[in-house]
Amino acid sequence: MSAVLDHPAGHAHGHAHDHAHAAPHGWRRWLFATNHKDIGTMYLLFSFAMLMLGGVLALGIRAELFQPGLQYVNPQLFNQLTTMHGLIMVFGAIMPAFVGFANWMIPLQIGASDMAFARMNNLSFWLLIPAAVILAASFFVPGGAPAAGWTLYAPLTLQMGPSMDMAIFAVHIMGASSIMGSINIIVTVLNMRAPGMTLMKMPLFCWTWLITAYLLIAVMPVLAGAVTMTLTDRHFGTSFFNPAGGGDPVMYQHIFWFFGHPEVYIMILPAFGIVSAIVPAFARKRLFGYASMVYATASIAILSFIVWAHHMFTTGMPVTGQLFFMYATMLIAVPTGVKIFNWVATMWRGEMSFETPMLWAVGFIFVFTMGGFTGLILAMAPIDIQLQDTYYVVAHFHYVLVAGSLFALFAGVYYWGPKWTGTMYSETRGRIHFWGSLVFFNVTFFPMHFLGLAGMPRRYADYPMQFADFNALASIGGLGFGLMQVYFFVAVVLPMMRGQGAPAPQRPWNDPDGRGAEGLEWEVPSPAPWHTFETPPKLDATATRVLG
């Protein structure tokens, strides 16, 4: 995924470059990076490392649950594994990966020379490293890692050891990184578009990230407030969430989910943008209903602020509150349905080809839709009261976050990877990765629906015999899914980074008639030169091609 390691200075379309602007070499290039491509590359490599770490913790969970009884870990360590798996995957893997895509693609897609605030961009990345180290090191302090669930619910958080303070500090640092990255994206998109690229001519990936950035700025301070109140409860004698001092643990849930539900859409909206780029490219058609896609994205973002308490139907909420949050949650399915309809309509009667990026995009649409339906089921308060805190919920959010966010990230790597590295991946290996991941994903998480319907609670290290078969199946699937991601890095990513493959053409996805991928990123050579669009490009009427 590295940028042009062996191509220090290239030529953006029609613009000569001064070789004094060649990429620096050695560690200084990365430590002091201000180039959006280098920072994007570092984000992507960091997020993959975190994906592997979170995956190892997940395999620890599945190993323990392979059969009834306590096998490898005690219940306390089991809860530490579940908590750290969630925190690392959300804040260390999925979110930084999408920021990496934003860094790489937004300047290329809008014809900008770089991100607006290059040094702040560097700082927002390097903050993640100490945060990740602090989070991972919490396993090694007295009492072990936090074991309060990734939601960090009180009163458990008030009883944890010093690792809880480390987790709070890490969340603060990662939140600061997210806010800086978001400000950068908003300013870049609003102020640095090439002349002629109006907002309604922007690629949808830029739109989804613009809206996501506003969401991040709105909700990360809410999380910061919640964990700061937890910190003062722990050390400074306050009682926000401590019932013994007149506090209310349920208040923490309200504050957390006011952050947490927009956070879910922060992790899926950029995925919608990636899929909205890939589906038209391989259907050889323009995206159906561009304007409605933009409005649907904005609608999802706005509605995400009024649905938070559907996570809390069992906390003693009055029936009026249950009804409001139930209807609001069902309402958010409408703009999501608009998106799925538009993707299907784009494919309808298109001249489709199924290279690996399209396989991931279609896989995303199929499996994400299943996750959406289980979310609608959980939105029904009477049903949710039965399924609350069971494996049905675990299945639902993994269908949305793994088959949603992660599948879209893989689609994006296969789609834009040749432009990043100048090397084509092996189509056969890409297909092995896709089909292996799809099968093992469903083997892992589909049985969890039945476990949840049968009443198996989540975050339990042991379970009665009647749940044994589905748990064994899920554990085998989890191991297979993890191995497929190692295969992806070794067999797909490393060869591309090393240039071990066919050289990528400038427009690798276009058919002989020139139809296929559209957008300014396909106007620069492969690999994308270290500097691109140093003078703003002149655009054609569609704002997808450079004139001259």
Side-chain angles (χ1 to χ4, degrees):
M1 264 174 286
S2 172
V4 272
L5 293 178
D6 300 315
H7 307 263
H11 294 276
H13 191 83
H15 301 301
H17 288 259
D18 179 359
H19 281 261
H21 291 306
H25 290 285
W27 59 270
R28 282 184 177 81
R29 170 178 179 178
W30 304 102
L31 184 61
F32 303 124
T34 52
N35 184 288
H36 71 98
K37 302 180 182 76
D38 286 352
I39 293 172
T41 299
M42 292 195 295
Y43 264 111
L44 290 165
L45 292 173
F46 168 82
S47 67
F48 190 81
M50 289 291 102
L51 182 76
M52 291 293 100
L53 176 58
V56 168
L57 301 180
L59 290 179
I61 296 166
R62 288 312 325 166
E64 178 55 55
L65 294 175
F66 182 67
Q67 58 189 41
L70 294 177
Q71 332 294 329
Y72 306 108
V73 299
N74 61 38
Q76 174 72 5
L77 178 56
F78 183 85
N79 281 340
Q80 292 174 22
L81 292 175
T82 54
T83 301
M84 295 295 288
H85 167 70
L87 286 171
I88 286 169
M89 287 303 201
V90 169
F91 296 110
I94 299 294
M95 289 173 67
F98 280 127
V99 180
F101 270 86
N103 266 292
W104 247 107
M105 298 316 304
I106 287 175
L108 284 179
Q109 290 192 329
I110 65 174
S113 58
D114 208 308
M115 298 294 279
F117 304 119
R119 293 191 188 283
M120 187 166 81
N121 205 9
N122 174 288
L123 180 60
S124 70
F125 169 74
W126 283 109
L127 279 177
L128 291 177
I129 304 297
V133 170
I134 291 167
L135 202 55
S138 66
F139 273 109
F140 305 106
V141 299
W150 82 274
T151 51
L152 304 178
Y153 271 6
L156 282 171
T157 47
L158 309 181
Q159 301 157 6
M160 294 280 134
S163 63
M164 193 65 230
D165 304 315
M166 297 169 75
I168 289 170
F169 190 35
V171 165
H172 269 301
I173 298 172
M174 288 174 166
S177 166
S178 294
I179 289 171
M180 284 194 283
S182 300
I183 292 169
N184 216 342
I185 287 165
I186 291 169
V187 175
T188 303
V189 169
L190 294 184
N191 291 341
M192 297 180 67
R193 301 189 309 281
M197 179 173 283
T198 61
L199 283 173
M200 292 307 280
K201 287 182 180 174
M202 276 199 315
L204 250 157
F205 180 70
C206 299
W207 257 116
T208 54
W209 243 117
L210 177 66
I211 291 166
T212 301
Y214 278 112
L215 277 180
L216 274 164
I217 289 173
V219 302
M220 288 313 291
V222 177
L223 177 65
V227 295
T228 304
M229 291 155 88
T230 303
L231 190 73
T232 60
D233 273 13
R234 286 169 55 81
H235 296 294
F236 299 106
T238 58
S239 294
F240 292 112
F241 312 129
N242 185 357
D248 184 3
V250 176
M251 182 172 78
Y252 176 87
Q253 297 189 27
H254 279 290
I255 300 169
F256 178 87
W257 285 116
F258 189 79
F259 148 82
H261 209 80
E263 166 69 12
V264 172
Y265 294 101
I266 286 163
M267 290 189 285
I268 201 67
L269 290 181
F272 292 164
I274 293 172
V275 172
S276 299
I278 293 172
V279 168
F282 293 94
R284 311 291 188 267
K285 283 173 64 182
R286 303 300 291 273
L287 181 70
F288 180 88
Y290 172 92
S292 64
M293 290 290 255
V294 172
Y295 295 133
T297 307
S299 305
I300 289 170
I302 293 163
L303 289 172
S304 73
F305 284 100
I306 62 164
V307 299
W308 78 88
H310 65 211
H311 298 267
M312 301 170 54
F313 285 144
T314 56
T315 57
M317 187 187 299
V319 173
T320 317
Q322 290 187 5
L323 284 171
F324 171 80
F325 287 107
M326 186 166 85
Y327 294 144
T329 306
M330 292 162 68
L331 189 62
I332 211 165
V334 176
T336 313
V338 167
K339 288 183 164 298
I340 291 165
F341 174 83
N342 284 11
W343 290 324
V344 174
T346 304
M347 290 188 272
W348 177 251
R349 302 188 76 169
E351 293 182 27
M352 306 248 291
S353 62
F354 289 96
E355 288 88 345
T356 307
M358 186 61 163
L359 288 177
W360 282 105
V362 173
F364 165 92
I365 294 168
F366 172 65
V367 195
F368 173 78
T369 304
M370 291 171 60
F373 276 128
T374 55
L376 269 179
I377 290 167
L378 289 169
M380 310 284 178
I383 303 175
D384 182 80
I385 287 165
Q386 293 295 311
L387 297 176
Q388 168 81 7
D389 267 340
T390 68
Y391 266 79
Y392 192 91
V393 179
V394 178
H396 156 68
F397 70 70
H398 281 89
Y399 264 78
V400 174
L401 280 183
V402 182
S405 303
L406 191 63
F407 277 25
L409 287 164
F410 287 140
V413 170
Y414 284 104
Y415 182 61
W416 285 308
K419 181 60 64 182
W420 299 343
T421 61
T423 306
M424 293 301 290
Y425 61 87
S426 160
E427 192 66 47
T428 305
R429 292 173 181 179
R431 287 169 189 269
I432 290 170
H433 176 221
F434 169 72
W435 287 110
S437 295
L438 186 71
V439 169
F440 282 126
F441 168 78
N442 282 291
V443 168
T444 306
F445 294 107
F446 200 76
M448 293 185 188
H449 293 103
F450 302 118
L451 288 169
L453 289 167
M456 179 175 167
R458 63 179 176 175
R459 298 182 187 162
Y460 277 34
D462 193 8
Y463 53 86
M465 198 67 206
Q466 68 260 33
F467 300 135
D469 292 347
F470 276 150
N471 267 300
L473 194 60
S475 292
I476 293 166
L479 179 62
F481 187 77
L483 291 174
M484 289 314 301
Q485 309 330 313
V486 176
Y487 174 83
F488 163 68
F489 189 74
V490 172
V492 178
V493 174
L494 281 181
M496 287 177 79
M497 291 175 68
R498 291 172 176 164
Q500 298 166 344
Q506 183 170 326
R507 295 186 176 88
W509 309 122
N510 289 22
D511 65 12
D513 298 330
R515 296 173 306 167
E518 289 190 340
L520 295 187
E521 70 264 39
W522 308 109
E523 297 291 315
V524 300
S526 298
W530 202 59
H531 288 297
T532 43
F533 301 127
E534 289 189 340
T535 55
K538 292 188 174 74
L539 307 181
D540 66 3
T542 63
T544 59
R545 292 262 169 146
V546 174
L547 294 172

